[in-house]
Amino acid sequence: MNNASTSGAAAYWKENVRLLTVLLIVWFVASYGAGILLVDLLNQIPLGGYKLGFFFAQQGSIYIFVALIFVYVHKMNQLDRKYDVHEE
């Protein structure tokens, strides 16, 4: 493996880890923060007849998790194209 491909692989991995870190922080805030820590504050806001804190604890965090999967796939496809390691 030459030096250019080694530095490219290191840059690719660094961007991948940065993306994962951001998405995991969003995941944590949505599940633990909104579902547990901020539940009393969010329960003051109604959403479709339910309290928002209850919604996040039961359903909202799941929707956010699924959205994070799609965001991850989209961003990784962009990253793969940037470093020319895409499958197409």
Side-chain angles (χ1 to χ4, degrees), residues 9-46:
Y12 176 83
W13 183 247
K14 185 177 180 179
E15 286 192 50
N16 185 10
V17 169
R18 184 179 303 128
L19 173 63
L20 284 174
T21 302
V22 169
L23 294 178
L24 285 173
I25 289 170
V26 171
W27 185 10
F28 175 79
V29 169
S31 62
Y32 191 73
I36 297 172
L37 295 177
L38 300 174
V39 70
D40 293 330
L41 179 66
L42 293 174
N43 276 340
Q44 298 173 4
I45 303 169

Side-chain angles (χ1 to χ4, degrees), residues 33-78:
I36 297 172
L37 295 177
L38 300 174
V39 70
D40 293 330
L41 179 66
L42 293 174
N43 276 340
Q44 298 173 4
I45 303 169
L47 178 68
Y50 297 100
K51 297 176 179 180
L52 187 59
F54 174 78
F55 174 77
F56 262 104
Q58 300 301 316
Q59 297 294 326
S61 58
I62 295 171
Y63 294 141
I64 291 174
F65 300 157
V66 172
L68 286 176
I69 292 170
F70 287 105
V71 168
Y72 178 73
V73 168
H74 177 71
K75 297 300 268 182
M76 282 306 296
N77 284 335
Q78 288 179 341

Side-chain angles (χ1 to χ4, degrees), residues 1 3-16 83 85:
M1 190 179 277
N3 193 22
S5 65
T6 303
S7 64
Y12 176 83
W13 183 247
K14 185 177 180 179
E15 286 192 50
N16 185 10
Y83 287 96
V85 292

